[in-house]
Amino acid sequence: MAKDSELKFEIINRIGAISTSPSGWITELNRVSWNGKEPKYDLRPWAPDHAKMGKGITLSEEELISLSELLQKEVAFLREEA
């Protein structure tokens, strides 16, 4: 990315935190608009002030639904194992 092209983002909705590292960075699921585009679901670590972020993934609504279905199946499997 060129120096003069700055990454712009807006957190539209903070859905929830998944974990917090010892350094204070929080892995969160949010809806984020990147560079003014349609918001997507976003899972990544954020600095406590949300000024910096780590590597993550973005998901469309359809991808989020598919992931949710996969996770529900995996959680059901884990409960059977217990």
Side-chain angles (χ1 to χ4, degrees):
M1 191 179 305
K3 270 188 168 182
D4 59 342
S5 73
E6 182 180 329
L7 178 66
K8 296 178 183 170
F9 66 91
E10 178 185 2
I11 298 175
I12 305 298
N13 183 23
R14 290 188 178 148
I15 297 168
I18 294 173
S19 65
T20 303
S21 73
S23 65
W25 282 57
I26 305 164
T27 300
E28 296 179 349
L29 177 63
N30 300 312
R31 279 185 64 234
V32 179
S33 171
W34 296 99
N35 295 319
K37 294 183 181 175
E38 185 72 25
K40 292 198 173 197
Y41 292 91
D42 186 84
L43 180 62
R44 73 182 62 244
W46 291 86
D49 63 0
H50 289 85
K52 296 180 182 178
M53 78 281 296
K55 291 183 181 179
I57 61 168
T58 58
L59 302 165
S60 67
E61 187 175 316
E62 295 80 18
E63 292 169 328
L64 180 74
I65 291 167
S66 294
L67 177 60
S68 173
E69 291 168 355
L70 291 171
L71 290 172
Q72 288 173 4
K73 289 178 186 175
E74 183 64 13
V75 168
F77 173 78
L78 291 172
R79 288 185 176 153
E80 289 175 8
E81 296 262 312

